[in-house]
Amino acid sequence: MNAINLENNEIIQVVFFILLAFISMFLVLILFFYFSRKKIVQIEVDKKNLEIDHQKELLNSVLITQEEERKRIAQDLHDDISSKLNVVSLNSHLLKTPNLNETEQLEITNNIIELTQKALENSRRIAHDLLPPVLEKFGLHAGIEELVEEFNSTKTVKVSYKNQIEFESYPIEKHLHIFRILQELLNNSLRHGKATEISIQFTNFDNRKTCTYIDNGLGFDSSSEENQKGLGMKNIESRINFLGGDFNFTSKPNKGVKMVFNFN
Amino acid sequence: MKPSYYLYITSAILCLLYLIGFFRNGKVYKIFTIYLVGVLVIDFISSKLYSWFRIYNVFMQHFYELFQFVILSYFFSLLLKTRAQLFTVYIILIVLPIFLLARYLIDPNLFFEYNLLETYLTTMPLIVYSSMHLYNNLGEKSDFYYGNLGLLFYLFTSTFIFLFYRLLSVFDLEEKINDLMVNLNITLQYIKFAFFFYQWKLIYFNKDERN
């Protein structure tokens, strides 16, 4: 009787521990899933917040650039046009003075003609800088060709340009973005990189339009955080965002710059 | 040769591989290596115990469980991060051995029979720590990820096998199913070793993984 009792006790003990083990392991499993879900949601939220912050930064840089551009235009207008028109207005008043002999009159009118011509030229240049008319009239390809020619004419840099893409079918409002990206890149290469050779190449592979930009300038360490925060780079990034593409930027000190971006 | 000998050889190779990088790596790696070597030694001694001293390996089971509990608790205390988790590990690491020791002092006979409560109490916390470590590193790079998975897998399955084996032995059925249980245990150990081998490979061939 005792032996049977002892055995029963043992059975109960073993069954109890098996049950206990089952229950605690399920508990561990359930708690793990519960907390994991919470954590995963939190990670997703953090990621989205980071994205939003990045977008805000891009927007901010767009605003800053806009303000700077306005300042530049205001300065150009003030220096190149207002000052000239001022002198024209002074000269015109001079014409009103009585008892002017013919030579004096001729001198003043010549002055006025010369100054108005200069003001006209300057206003044309400012307008051209803001939006090259060739871009609107003949499209992106011609626009880039003209841009490259302008840079080549400075003789300090040799820019080569190859294009396999038909831009005619491409939405006109996107031409400007690509044009501005190249303008920014060329300016950077010349101003900061002191590059002497630059290559721009547009390729169309698998219906994916890609632009490859390479220069042989000074370059910089593109992996360091600090160098990625420049206003110019941010503008390029937001323009590529508008184009629905992505980009890859690599540079090392004394190894030049390579930028590859694609667009739809 | 019996299949268990192949297991010893595999385990010994694994220990040797881990010992190669012993001094190059950090504390976590060292503790893990000591655990592997300790388990191999205890396993080997317990299998030879009967032929050497006529002692059944029940005796070594206690050593095995306590050794595993103490060293893996320390191992996880190095991996876990939050204060609450570390506090739990330390408290259990102190309270549990004292409790078990007190039990054996009160009734020394317990030391010579299988003790389910001890098995349960020494493996359950390890399973919890292992899950905590998995949870801590969700969505990011984890230290000793595969080693931890191997441990979790083996702790989980071996506990059930042990309990099941006890259940069968109460009904005197263990003779009939003994071979199956032993083979199952060996298979599970191989799976555990596969995880450990992969972890070793990651650490040995990748400098970033060093711990």
Side-chain angles (χ1 to χ4, degrees):
Chain A
M1 188 68 192
N2 250 350
I4 294 173
N5 259 344
L6 205 70
E7 197 168 284
N8 271 346
N9 257 345
E10 239 183 314
I11 294 172
I12 290 170
Q13 211 191 15
V14 173
V15 170
F16 170 75
F17 275 109
I18 289 180
L19 268 178
L20 191 66
F22 257 114
I23 291 169
S24 26
M25 282 177 194
F26 269 110
L27 207 66
V28 170
L29 214 70
I30 288 167
L31 284 176
F32 180 76
F33 277 116
Y34 173 73
F35 284 112
S36 302
R37 226 185 94 89
K38 252 179 148 177
K39 192 166 181 177
I40 287 166
V41 169
Q42 189 55 45
I43 290 171
E44 283 299 308
V45 169
D46 287 349
K47 221 193 257 172
K48 282 272 173 282
N49 277 340
L50 217 69
E51 248 168 59
I52 292 170
D53 282 350
H54 186 67
Q55 291 295 331
K56 270 187 195 159
E57 236 171 74
L58 282 184
L59 194 69
N60 199 22
S61 70
V62 169
L63 287 176
I64 292 172
T65 322
Q66 197 183 28
E67 282 310 315
E68 274 185 1
E69 196 65 8
R70 279 184 182 167
K71 213 160 107 188
R72 194 183 64 82
I73 297 165
Q75 214 156 17
D76 277 1
L77 287 175
H78 177 266
D79 295 352
D80 296 343
I81 298 179
S82 303
S83 61
K84 301 253 169 346
L85 289 178
N86 235 345
V87 185
V88 171
S89 142
L90 263 176
N91 276 315
S92 318
H93 277 293
L94 271 181
L95 276 180
K96 277 209 234 156
T97 38
N99 307 324
L100 278 177
N101 60 29
E102 218 161 275
T103 40
E104 278 172 330
Q105 243 177 22
L106 195 70
E107 200 186 325
I108 292 167
T109 18
N110 276 344
N111 240 347
I112 290 172
I113 291 166
E114 199 186 316
L115 283 167
T116 37
Q117 246 163 9
K118 266 190 186 157
L120 206 64
E121 214 174 273
N122 284 336
S123 72
R124 203 176 286 147
R125 188 181 51 77
I126 291 166
H128 180 270
D129 282 353
L130 285 177
L131 181 70
V134 64
L135 202 63
E136 221 166 344
K137 277 186 201 152
F138 304 106
L140 183 61
H141 183 65
I144 296 172
E145 268 183 343
E146 199 194 59
L147 184 72
V148 167
E149 232 165 75
E150 273 170 27
F151 273 87
N152 277 335
S153 69
T154 60
K155 303 283 178 205
T156 53
V157 61
K158 208 175 143 241
V159 187
S160 67
Y161 166 58
K162 277 182 198 143
N163 178 23
Q164 295 177 353
I165 303 175
E166 293 284 326
F167 282 116
E168 279 76 24
S169 58
Y170 199 59
I172 196 93
E173 66 271 13
K174 291 190 172 178
H175 287 194
L176 191 64
H177 287 308
I178 296 171
F179 185 79
R180 290 290 186 227
I181 291 168
L182 288 176
Q183 217 174 18
E184 177 75 34
L185 285 171
L186 283 166
N187 277 330
N188 284 346
S189 292
L190 212 59
R191 206 184 310 154
H192 306 298
K194 312 271 183 270
T196 53
E197 263 174 56
I198 297 171
S199 125
I200 303 167
Q201 209 166 10
F202 282 94
T203 47
N204 200 352
F205 186 72
D206 266 356
N207 223 7
R208 195 88 186 130
K209 301 180 183 75
T210 306
C211 172
T212 311
Y213 178 95
I214 302 169
D215 81 8
N216 68 342
L218 295 172
F220 56 88
D221 186 11
S222 62
S223 57
S224 97
E225 275 283 304
E226 237 169 79
N227 290 332
Q228 296 171 355
K229 302 257 181 209
L231 206 58
M233 274 313 290
K234 272 202 194 120
N235 273 321
I236 289 174
E237 196 186 332
S238 52
R239 283 188 197 279
I240 291 169
N241 273 351
F242 279 129
L243 295 170
D246 44 89
F247 72 104
N248 183 17
F249 186 85
T250 44
S251 178
K252 273 182 195 155
N254 295 321
K255 290 267 162 71
V257 162
K258 184 178 181 188
M259 167 108 181
V260 182
F261 65 92
N262 49 44
F263 46 97
N264 294 315
Chain B
M1 258 204 302
K2 284 197 323 196
S4 58
Y5 280 106
Y6 289 115
L7 195 70
Y8 285 131
I9 292 169
T10 316
S11 178
I13 292 171
L14 189 69
C15 287
L16 280 178
L17 288 178
Y18 269 89
L19 282 170
I20 290 172
F22 190 76
F23 293 105
R24 266 199 312 232
N25 286 285
K27 230 176 177 179
V28 182
Y29 182 94
K30 287 192 174 99
I31 296 296
F32 192 71
T33 311
I34 292 169
Y35 165 70
L36 289 178
V37 175
V39 166
L40 174 66
V41 169
I42 291 176
D43 263 354
F44 191 70
I45 291 175
S46 68
S47 76
K48 290 285 173 197
L49 215 54
Y50 187 70
S51 57
W52 288 347
F53 308 111
R54 307 276 146 201
I55 303 173
Y56 286 108
N57 66 13
V58 181
F59 185 70
M60 287 309 277
Q61 173 85 14
H62 300 291
F63 278 114
Y64 174 77
E65 282 171 351
L66 265 177
F67 170 75
Q68 175 175 268
F69 171 72
V70 171
I71 202 143
L72 285 185
S73 288
Y74 186 53
F75 172 75
F76 283 117
S77 79
L78 296 172
L79 285 177
L80 295 177
K81 287 167 191 159
T82 68
R83 277 185 70 178
Q85 289 172 347
L86 286 176
F87 187 72
T88 319
V89 175
Y90 289 138
I91 288 292
I92 295 178
L93 187 57
I94 294 165
V95 171
L96 192 62
I98 291 173
F99 170 71
L100 291 174
L101 202 68
R103 272 186 90 224
Y104 294 130
L105 285 178
I106 292 164
D107 186 1
N109 281 335
L110 281 176
F111 207 64
F112 297 98
E113 52 190 66
Y114 280 115
N115 193 332
L116 295 181
L117 183 69
E118 187 192 77
T119 307
Y120 177 77
L121 286 179
T122 49
T123 44
M124 217 38 229
L126 296 177
I127 290 174
V128 174
Y129 303 155
S130 179
S131 311
M132 280 176 179
H133 182 52
L134 277 185
Y135 165 77
N136 281 348
N137 296 295
L138 272 178
E140 45 189 277
K141 205 179 93 44
S142 170
D143 289 339
F144 254 88
Y145 180 68
Y146 291 98
N148 184 37
L149 280 186
L151 277 178
L152 184 60
F153 167 78
Y154 188 68
L155 289 171
F156 232 101
T157 47
S158 69
T159 310
F160 277 113
I161 285 201
F162 179 70
L163 288 172
F164 195 57
Y165 185 77
R166 289 301 304 151
L167 185 69
L168 291 174
S169 69
V170 171
F171 291 113
D172 288 326
L173 289 169
E174 84 263 35
E175 295 289 322
K176 287 175 194 158
I177 210 157
N178 196 20
D179 277 354
L180 178 73
M181 293 305 245
V182 168
N183 285 334
L184 189 61
N185 186 37
I186 288 174
T187 315
L188 293 175
Q189 295 233 36
Y190 273 121
I191 296 173
K192 174 181 79 171
F193 286 147
F195 277 107
F196 292 171
F197 269 119
Y198 189 64
Q199 180 66 64
W200 174 82
K201 186 201 146 251
L202 283 184
I203 295 173
Y204 191 79
F205 291 105
N206 188 355
K207 282 179 185 136
D208 300 341
E209 288 274 342
R210 286 216 175 132
N211 295 292

